[in-house]
Amino acid sequence: MTDHLVDAHAPRDLHAFIAGLPKAELHVHHVGSASPRIVAELAARHPDSRVPTDPEALADYFTFTDFAHFIDVYLSVVDLIRTPEDVRLLTYEVARDLARQQVRYAELTITPFSSTRRGIDARAFMEAIEDARKEAEAEFGTVLRWCFDIPGEAGLESAEETARLATDDRLRPEGLVSFGLGGPEIGVPRPQFKPYFDRAIAAGLHSVPHAGETTGPQTIWDALTELRAERIGHGTSAAQDPKLLAHLAEHRIPLEVCPTSNIATRAVRTIEEHPLARFVEAGVLVTVNSDDPPMFGTDLDNEYAVAARLLGLDERGLADLAKNAVSASFLDEAGKARIAAEIDTYTAGWLAP
Ligand SMILES: [Zn+2]
């Protein structure tokens, strides 16, 4: 399914430039990053699962007929994550896939509630992701950080548990930098999560809720005023509200834009109608991300190719886009400077006569 969704419009050498460009990924989900290769490995460990282990059958399995089908497949992959070793394997292998795309730094959105609710011990879960993080950094050079997100559809019980896991000093993993909110927006108002975000922020975490992906700009305002969002996941409907765009630009609140995901979930009808260019025109700091890449038939490289087309970017423009993600990240200043310098060196080398 990947092939026919990959953006074929960008010139070939631009694709090669993107493939080698050092990047940061700020909006990508842990389970949603399980590629057919990883899913096959997990399914082989749990033969009672209905997920096929053969790569060809898996490719069919990953071809979604509609959004409900996507959720169904997503949940069947969640069902494969049953032990701390499954968690470690998934995390480590996701890092391998990121490293292959020259991702130097990624903030991975993890929903620990999905695992603890299924009986995985919280401490063992934290150890598994931390072991994978350290191993991946040593082996691939990719730095991972975590965003723990509330699965909005699971209600306040999940918010309470996620806040507990994120703020309890005996559990909270070293790599945790932020607190998020995912799941459906319709019927799940953002303000009810304010107390949980207040706790996370008081514990030193950054606020990065999804907002305005499938609902209007008011959800984004709520995320800003109630949840004190420092970045917005998606923020697609900000395009409908010039005052909001001006606010985002003035306060330098970045958007984590995931173009292919927006088409796959029908949040935006066609890629030509995607508001990415409108955000840039309004002076908003945009970053480009992949969300649930294998499930949407994309990867971060492809999202950069899509952005190049929507924004008319050349190599320098793409390098600036990559630097946006570095600057919008929660990496320390020295780490940011190091990746930005690497992007500059790579770009200069590419463009040198
Ligand atoms: Zn997301």
Side-chain angles (χ1 to χ4, degrees):
M1 141 168 202
T2 306
D3 292 342
H4 64 257
L5 273 183
V6 164
D7 193 275
H9 299 267
R12 187 170 289 277
D13 57 343
L14 219 45
H15 278 291
F17 174 78
I18 292 167
L21 179 65
K23 289 176 278 288
E25 163 68 274
L26 304 182
H27 188 125
V28 66
H29 295 264
H30 187 220
V31 172
S33 298
S35 59
R37 174 181 71 80
I38 300 173
V39 172
E41 232 176 290
L42 289 166
R45 287 176 170 208
H46 304 295
D48 61 310
S49 144
R50 64 195 166 93
V51 179
T53 52
D54 163 57
E56 229 166 272
L58 257 175
D60 279 349
Y61 190 74
F62 268 78
T63 305
F64 308 115
T65 50
D66 57 21
F67 193 63
H69 183 217
F70 159 70
I71 295 291
D72 194 42
V73 171
Y74 189 91
L75 292 177
S76 72
V77 176
V78 170
D79 181 55
L80 292 173
I81 321 290
R82 300 180 190 176
T83 68
E85 176 49 27
D86 296 335
V87 174
R88 194 207 60 79
L89 175 93
L90 169 67
T91 314
Y92 179 76
E93 293 299 330
V94 165
R96 185 199 302 278
D97 287 345
L98 288 167
R100 222 178 260 147
Q101 299 177 76
Q102 309 305 322
V103 173
R104 301 292 191 263
Y105 172 84
E107 291 171 17
L108 201 57
T109 298
I110 296 185
T111 314
F113 179 74
S114 318
S115 291
T116 57
R117 157 174 73 177
R118 300 172 66 79
I120 296 185
D121 175 69
R123 197 178 301 268
F125 180 89
M126 303 306 171
E127 280 170 13
I129 57 174
E130 286 292 298
D131 282 356
R133 177 174 75 79
K134 289 171 190 160
E135 231 183 298
E137 186 171 338
E139 187 152 339
F140 312 128
T142 297
V143 173
L144 294 181
R145 292 290 182 266
W146 319 125
C147 168
F148 278 4
D149 82 328
I150 300 169
E153 74 282 7
L156 296 184
E157 178 208 350
S158 75
E160 175 60 41
E161 171 73 349
T162 309
R164 180 182 81 84
L165 296 170
T167 59
D168 183 333
D169 286 339
R170 290 159 304 172
L171 290 172
R172 173 189 174 152
E174 209 185 309
L176 185 67
V177 292
S178 61
F179 195 72
L181 169 60
E185 292 175 28
I186 297 166
V188 189
R190 310 286 97 172
Q192 62 182 318
F193 299 104
K194 177 174 167 40
Y196 308 99
F197 275 78
D198 284 345
R199 275 165 64 190
I201 292 165
L205 296 175
H206 298 282
S207 167
V208 288
H210 287 58
E213 179 185 11
T214 53
T215 58
Q218 185 56 44
T219 311
I220 303 171
W221 283 115
D222 288 345
L224 293 169
T225 57
E226 304 291 319
L227 310 182
R228 292 185 274 161
E230 291 167 67
R231 287 196 320 243
I232 299 285
H234 295 285
T236 317
S237 64
Q240 302 163 18
D241 183 344
K243 250 174 92 179
L244 176 55
L245 287 177
H247 180 92
L248 295 171
E250 187 192 336
H251 296 275
R252 300 284 289 168
I253 296 164
L255 296 182
E256 302 160 4
V257 179
C258 312
T260 300
S261 158
N262 295 152
I263 305 307
T265 63
R266 316 266 152 100
V268 176
R269 231 160 34 103
T270 65
I271 202 72
E272 287 68 30
E273 290 171 54
H274 197 284
L276 181 61
R278 234 167 308 152
F279 297 151
V280 173
E281 281 156 25
V284 177
L285 184 70
V286 297
T287 66
V288 165
N289 307 277
S290 65
D291 211 6
D292 301 296
M295 303 200 176
F296 295 144
T298 190
D299 58 20
L300 189 58
D301 286 353
N302 185 53
E303 296 310 289
Y304 272 71
V306 169
R309 180 155 66 89
L310 290 176
L311 300 174
L313 301 178
D314 59 7
E315 288 87 346
R316 279 185 218 284
L318 283 161
D320 287 341
L321 189 64
K323 286 204 269 184
N324 282 358
V326 174
S327 107
S329 78
F330 300 129
L331 190 57
D332 57 50
E333 291 307 318
K336 286 183 183 184
R338 197 184 58 241
I339 304 178
E342 211 193 328
I343 292 170
D344 284 339
T345 305
Y346 171 77
T347 308
W350 184 275
L351 295 175

